Short mmCIF file of all heavy atoms in Angstrom, two decimals:
data_model
loop_
_atom_site.label_atom_id
_atom_site.label_comp_id
_atom_site.label_asym_id
_atom_site.label_seq_id
_atom_site.Cartn_x
_atom_site.Cartn_y
_atom_site.Cartn_z
N LYS A 1321 21.42 16.40 -11.01
CA LYS A 1321 20.63 17.12 -12.04
C LYS A 1321 19.21 17.36 -11.55
O LYS A 1321 18.56 18.34 -11.65
CB LYS A 1321 20.61 16.34 -13.32
CG LYS A 1321 19.67 16.92 -14.39
CD LYS A 1321 20.06 16.70 -15.78
CE LYS A 1321 19.14 17.53 -16.61
NZ LYS A 1321 19.02 17.23 -17.98
N GLU A 1324 19.31 20.01 -8.77
CA GLU A 1324 19.81 21.36 -9.11
C GLU A 1324 19.14 21.94 -10.36
O GLU A 1324 19.07 23.17 -10.51
CB GLU A 1324 21.36 21.31 -9.30
CG GLU A 1324 22.07 21.00 -8.00
CD GLU A 1324 23.54 20.92 -8.14
OE1 GLU A 1324 24.10 21.14 -9.28
OE2 GLU A 1324 24.22 20.57 -7.14
N GLY A 1357 1.53 30.87 4.85
CA GLY A 1357 0.16 30.75 4.19
C GLY A 1357 -0.17 29.26 4.04
O GLY A 1357 0.50 28.36 4.59
N GLY A 1395 -5.46 -16.57 -10.46
CA GLY A 1395 -6.53 -16.56 -9.42
C GLY A 1395 -6.11 -17.16 -8.11
O GLY A 1395 -5.01 -17.65 -7.97
N ARG A 1450 -10.10 7.54 -16.99
CA ARG A 1450 -10.36 7.89 -18.42
C ARG A 1450 -11.41 9.03 -18.47
O ARG A 1450 -11.33 9.92 -19.26
CB ARG A 1450 -10.82 6.69 -19.16
CG ARG A 1450 -10.82 6.94 -20.65
CD ARG A 1450 -10.94 5.65 -21.42
NE ARG A 1450 -10.69 5.84 -22.84
CZ ARG A 1450 -9.52 5.78 -23.41
NH1 ARG A 1450 -8.38 5.52 -22.70
NH2 ARG A 1450 -9.36 5.98 -24.75
N PHE A 1462 -11.50 -4.70 4.33
CA PHE A 1462 -12.10 -3.79 5.37
C PHE A 1462 -13.54 -4.18 5.68
O PHE A 1462 -14.21 -4.77 4.82
CB PHE A 1462 -12.03 -2.38 4.88
CG PHE A 1462 -10.69 -1.71 5.18
CD1 PHE A 1462 -9.91 -1.21 4.15
CD2 PHE A 1462 -10.28 -1.50 6.49
CE1 PHE A 1462 -8.67 -0.57 4.45
CE2 PHE A 1462 -9.07 -0.91 6.78
CZ PHE A 1462 -8.31 -0.42 5.76
N CYS A 1476 -19.15 9.34 -2.38
CA CYS A 1476 -19.23 8.58 -3.63
C CYS A 1476 -20.70 8.25 -3.88
O CYS A 1476 -21.49 7.95 -2.96
CB CYS A 1476 -18.47 7.23 -3.43
SG CYS A 1476 -16.78 7.40 -2.97
N VAL A 1485 -15.55 -13.66 -2.85
CA VAL A 1485 -14.18 -13.96 -3.23
C VAL A 1485 -13.65 -15.01 -2.24
O VAL A 1485 -13.98 -15.06 -1.09
CB VAL A 1485 -13.30 -12.75 -3.26
CG1 VAL A 1485 -13.13 -12.14 -1.85
CG2 VAL A 1485 -11.90 -13.09 -3.82
N PHE A 1509 -25.77 3.72 -6.73
CA PHE A 1509 -25.75 2.42 -7.48
C PHE A 1509 -24.69 1.50 -6.93
O PHE A 1509 -23.65 1.94 -6.44
CB PHE A 1509 -25.34 2.69 -8.91
CG PHE A 1509 -26.44 3.34 -9.71
CD1 PHE A 1509 -26.34 4.63 -10.14
CD2 PHE A 1509 -27.66 2.68 -9.99
CE1 PHE A 1509 -27.33 5.24 -10.82
CE2 PHE A 1509 -28.71 3.28 -10.68
CZ PHE A 1509 -28.55 4.60 -11.11
N LYS A 1528 -14.45 -29.58 -5.32
CA LYS A 1528 -15.47 -28.99 -6.17
C LYS A 1528 -16.87 -28.98 -5.48
O LYS A 1528 -17.53 -27.94 -5.43
CB LYS A 1528 -15.55 -29.69 -7.49
CG LYS A 1528 -16.36 -28.92 -8.45
CD LYS A 1528 -16.19 -29.48 -9.84
CE LYS A 1528 -17.12 -28.71 -10.87
NZ LYS A 1528 -16.98 -29.25 -12.15
N PRO A 1565 -11.07 9.91 -24.17
CA PRO A 1565 -10.70 10.33 -22.83
C PRO A 1565 -11.06 11.73 -22.48
O PRO A 1565 -11.23 12.61 -23.40
CB PRO A 1565 -9.20 10.19 -22.77
CG PRO A 1565 -8.77 9.87 -24.15
CD PRO A 1565 -9.91 9.74 -25.07
N LYS A 1587 -7.61 9.15 6.80
CA LYS A 1587 -7.42 10.40 6.02
C LYS A 1587 -7.52 10.03 4.50
O LYS A 1587 -6.87 9.06 4.13
CB LYS A 1587 -6.02 11.01 6.20
CG LYS A 1587 -5.67 11.27 7.68
CD LYS A 1587 -4.24 11.85 7.73
CE LYS A 1587 -3.23 10.75 7.42
NZ LYS A 1587 -2.56 10.14 8.54
N THR A 1603 9.87 6.09 -11.28
CA THR A 1603 10.39 5.25 -10.26
C THR A 1603 10.33 3.80 -10.70
O THR A 1603 11.26 2.99 -10.43
CB THR A 1603 9.57 5.45 -8.89
OG1 THR A 1603 8.20 5.49 -9.24
CG2 THR A 1603 9.99 6.70 -8.16
N ASP A 1609 14.76 -1.25 -12.60
CA ASP A 1609 15.60 -1.31 -13.75
C ASP A 1609 14.74 -2.01 -14.81
O ASP A 1609 15.20 -3.02 -15.46
CB ASP A 1609 16.90 -1.99 -13.54
CG ASP A 1609 17.86 -1.70 -14.67
OD1 ASP A 1609 17.96 -0.57 -15.16
OD2 ASP A 1609 18.47 -2.71 -15.22
N HIS A 1612 12.08 -4.02 -21.48
CA HIS A 1612 10.90 -4.47 -22.25
C HIS A 1612 10.54 -5.94 -22.05
O HIS A 1612 9.33 -6.29 -22.05
CB HIS A 1612 11.10 -4.04 -23.69
CG HIS A 1612 9.91 -4.36 -24.59
ND1 HIS A 1612 8.73 -3.61 -24.39
CD2 HIS A 1612 9.72 -5.25 -25.54
CE1 HIS A 1612 7.84 -4.07 -25.23
NE2 HIS A 1612 8.43 -5.09 -25.94
N TYR A 1616 7.16 -8.73 -14.53
CA TYR A 1616 7.19 -8.11 -13.24
C TYR A 1616 6.05 -8.59 -12.35
O TYR A 1616 4.95 -8.79 -12.89
CB TYR A 1616 7.14 -6.59 -13.45
CG TYR A 1616 6.79 -5.73 -12.25
CD1 TYR A 1616 7.77 -5.40 -11.34
CD2 TYR A 1616 5.48 -5.33 -12.03
CE1 TYR A 1616 7.40 -4.62 -10.23
CE2 TYR A 1616 5.13 -4.60 -10.99
CZ TYR A 1616 6.12 -4.21 -10.01
OH TYR A 1616 5.81 -3.48 -8.94
N LEU A 1636 2.19 -0.06 -16.17
CA LEU A 1636 1.45 0.17 -17.41
C LEU A 1636 2.03 1.38 -18.17
O LEU A 1636 2.12 1.40 -19.37
CB LEU A 1636 -0.09 0.38 -17.17
CG LEU A 1636 -0.84 -0.82 -16.67
CD1 LEU A 1636 -2.30 -0.43 -16.45
CD2 LEU A 1636 -0.78 -2.03 -17.61
N VAL A 1654 2.63 -24.17 0.26
CA VAL A 1654 3.56 -23.08 0.72
C VAL A 1654 4.56 -22.64 -0.42
O VAL A 1654 5.30 -21.69 -0.22
CB VAL A 1654 4.32 -23.51 1.89
CG1 VAL A 1654 3.43 -23.78 3.08
CG2 VAL A 1654 5.21 -24.69 1.68
N GLU A 1662 8.15 -19.34 -11.46
CA GLU A 1662 8.55 -20.20 -12.47
C GLU A 1662 7.63 -20.19 -13.63
O GLU A 1662 8.03 -20.14 -14.81
CB GLU A 1662 8.67 -21.65 -11.88
CG GLU A 1662 9.09 -22.65 -12.99
CD GLU A 1662 9.07 -24.11 -12.44
OE1 GLU A 1662 8.02 -24.77 -12.65
OE2 GLU A 1662 10.15 -24.55 -11.97
N TYR A 1664 5.60 -18.04 -14.89
CA TYR A 1664 5.60 -16.86 -15.80
C TYR A 1664 7.01 -16.28 -16.10
O TYR A 1664 7.12 -15.33 -16.82
CB TYR A 1664 4.72 -15.70 -15.24
CG TYR A 1664 3.25 -16.14 -15.08
CD1 TYR A 1664 2.66 -16.32 -13.90
CD2 TYR A 1664 2.53 -16.28 -16.24
CE1 TYR A 1664 1.31 -16.70 -13.76
CE2 TYR A 1664 1.17 -16.67 -16.20
CZ TYR A 1664 0.56 -16.86 -14.90
OH TYR A 1664 -0.74 -17.22 -14.83
N LEU A 1678 7.12 -14.92 6.69
CA LEU A 1678 6.24 -16.07 6.68
C LEU A 1678 6.82 -17.24 5.91
O LEU A 1678 6.84 -18.39 6.47
CB LEU A 1678 4.90 -15.61 6.07
CG LEU A 1678 3.91 -16.75 5.80
CD1 LEU A 1678 3.27 -17.22 7.10
CD2 LEU A 1678 2.76 -16.30 4.89
N LYS A 1681 9.74 -19.42 7.33
CA LYS A 1681 9.44 -20.46 8.31
C LYS A 1681 9.42 -21.83 7.63
O LYS A 1681 9.61 -22.85 8.29
CB LYS A 1681 8.03 -20.20 8.89
CG LYS A 1681 8.01 -19.04 9.78
CD LYS A 1681 6.81 -19.07 10.76
CE LYS A 1681 5.47 -19.29 10.09
NZ LYS A 1681 4.30 -19.29 10.92
N VAL A 1759 14.21 13.92 -4.69
CA VAL A 1759 13.78 13.84 -3.32
C VAL A 1759 14.89 14.35 -2.39
O VAL A 1759 16.02 13.92 -2.50
CB VAL A 1759 13.43 12.40 -2.97
CG1 VAL A 1759 13.14 12.19 -1.42
CG2 VAL A 1759 12.22 11.91 -3.79
N GLU A 1772 23.27 17.13 10.79
CA GLU A 1772 24.19 16.86 9.64
C GLU A 1772 24.83 15.51 9.88
O GLU A 1772 24.96 15.07 11.01
CB GLU A 1772 25.19 17.94 9.45
CG GLU A 1772 24.68 19.38 9.23
CD GLU A 1772 23.93 19.53 7.94
OE1 GLU A 1772 24.12 18.74 6.97
OE2 GLU A 1772 23.02 20.43 7.85
N PHE A 1807 7.07 20.86 11.96
CA PHE A 1807 8.28 21.50 11.56
C PHE A 1807 8.04 22.36 10.31
O PHE A 1807 8.23 21.88 9.22
CB PHE A 1807 9.32 20.46 11.20
CG PHE A 1807 9.69 19.51 12.40
CD1 PHE A 1807 9.55 18.16 12.30
CD2 PHE A 1807 10.17 20.05 13.62
CE1 PHE A 1807 9.87 17.29 13.36
CE2 PHE A 1807 10.47 19.21 14.69
CZ PHE A 1807 10.34 17.85 14.57
N GLY A 1839 2.89 -4.71 7.36
CA GLY A 1839 3.06 -3.67 6.34
C GLY A 1839 1.80 -2.77 6.22
O GLY A 1839 1.85 -1.84 5.36
N PHE A 1886 -13.71 -10.19 33.20
CA PHE A 1886 -12.79 -10.41 32.05
C PHE A 1886 -12.69 -11.94 31.81
O PHE A 1886 -12.13 -12.59 32.68
CB PHE A 1886 -11.41 -9.76 32.41
CG PHE A 1886 -10.48 -9.75 31.26
CD1 PHE A 1886 -10.49 -8.67 30.36
CD2 PHE A 1886 -9.58 -10.87 31.06
CE1 PHE A 1886 -9.60 -8.71 29.29
CE2 PHE A 1886 -8.71 -10.74 29.96
CZ PHE A 1886 -8.74 -9.73 29.06
N MET A 1891 -13.02 -11.57 25.52
CA MET A 1891 -11.94 -11.44 24.61
C MET A 1891 -12.42 -11.65 23.15
O MET A 1891 -12.07 -10.93 22.27
CB MET A 1891 -10.81 -12.40 24.94
CG MET A 1891 -9.94 -11.92 26.11
SD MET A 1891 -8.29 -12.40 25.91
CE MET A 1891 -8.21 -13.78 26.93
N LEU A 1930 3.35 1.37 28.92
CA LEU A 1930 2.57 0.27 28.38
C LEU A 1930 3.38 -0.53 27.35
O LEU A 1930 3.27 -1.78 27.25
CB LEU A 1930 1.23 0.74 27.80
CG LEU A 1930 0.26 1.33 28.80
CD1 LEU A 1930 -0.96 1.87 28.09
CD2 LEU A 1930 -0.16 0.30 29.82
#
Side-chain angles (χ1 to χ4, degrees):
K1321 174 154 189 194
E1324 293 179 3
R1450 191 166 191 90
F1462 274 120
C1476 302
V1485 63
F1509 290 111
K1528 192 167 178 183
K1587 308 175 287 258
T1603 43
D1609 193 45
H1612 186 65
Y1616 162 84
L1636 293 179
V1654 301
E1662 179 186 90
Y1664 297 109
L1678 171 72
K1681 289 202 308 186
V1759 173
E1772 303 293 337
F1807 299 123
F1886 188 86
M1891 281 214 261
L1930 292 177

